[in-house]
Amino acid sequence: MLHPGLVDFLEAAKKEGTYLIVGLYEDDVVNSYKGSSYPIQILQERVLSVLANRNVDEVVIGAPYPLTEEVLDHFNVKVVVRGKVHEGTHEADPFQAAVDRGIFKEIDSGNPLETEDLVLRIIRNRKLFMDRNKKKQLKELNNLKKMEELKETVHNNGNEDSSCSVSS
């Protein structure tokens, strides 16, 4: 999910070179190291989001996990970056090929926001939203009931006194 933390990271990453290539993993790969609720967006949605960022020049769809020597050679990669704030647990370093070549760099975007922060915020706010809407719904139902009672009272009184009328 492209959020302000990732946008800041992409901006910082672009400053490390002249051409920014972003590798996006297949959904099942993300799921394997981040957990069953991830990714939030499917690969195609992530591709479109990342390509829409002005700092990104190219996207590798279904990038190999872990990063391979072949990919580094194919794209003539001079530096591989990862943010200091990164999510998930990995059995082995997925960037070992870049580390071995001495071209790996961890950078700080200055933004600590992670996807997990947004997910927790959505969950927390969803409860508040649901509670607020439930109160509104009960208030509306109560108002409708009162209007029906008033309408019925006026209608009943209207049968006794023809000078009173209510239009709905």
Side-chain angles (χ1 to χ4, degrees), residues 1 14-15 22 31-33 42 47 49 53 55 59 70-71 124 132 140 149 167:
M1 170 182 252
K14 179 69 175 215
K15 292 176 182 174
V22 176
N31 180 268
S32 72
Y33 72 84
I42 62 172
V47 168
S49 294
N53 184 281
N55 294 297
V59 170
E70 292 79 22
V71 168
R124 183 178 62 248
R132 183 190 74 197
E140 285 296 317
E149 290 171 355
S167 60

Side-chain angles (χ1 to χ4, degrees), residues 9-45:
F9 168 73
L10 292 172
E11 184 177 343
K14 179 69 175 215
K15 292 176 182 174
E16 296 297 320
T18 57
Y19 192 82
L20 180 59
I21 303 170
V22 176
L24 295 175
Y25 301 130
E26 295 283 349
D27 296 343
D28 60 331
V29 172
V30 175
N31 180 268
S32 72
Y33 72 84
K34 287 182 84 171
S36 63
S37 298
Y38 293 91
I40 302 294
Q41 296 176 306
I42 62 172
L43 179 60
Q44 291 82 357
E45 294 166 333

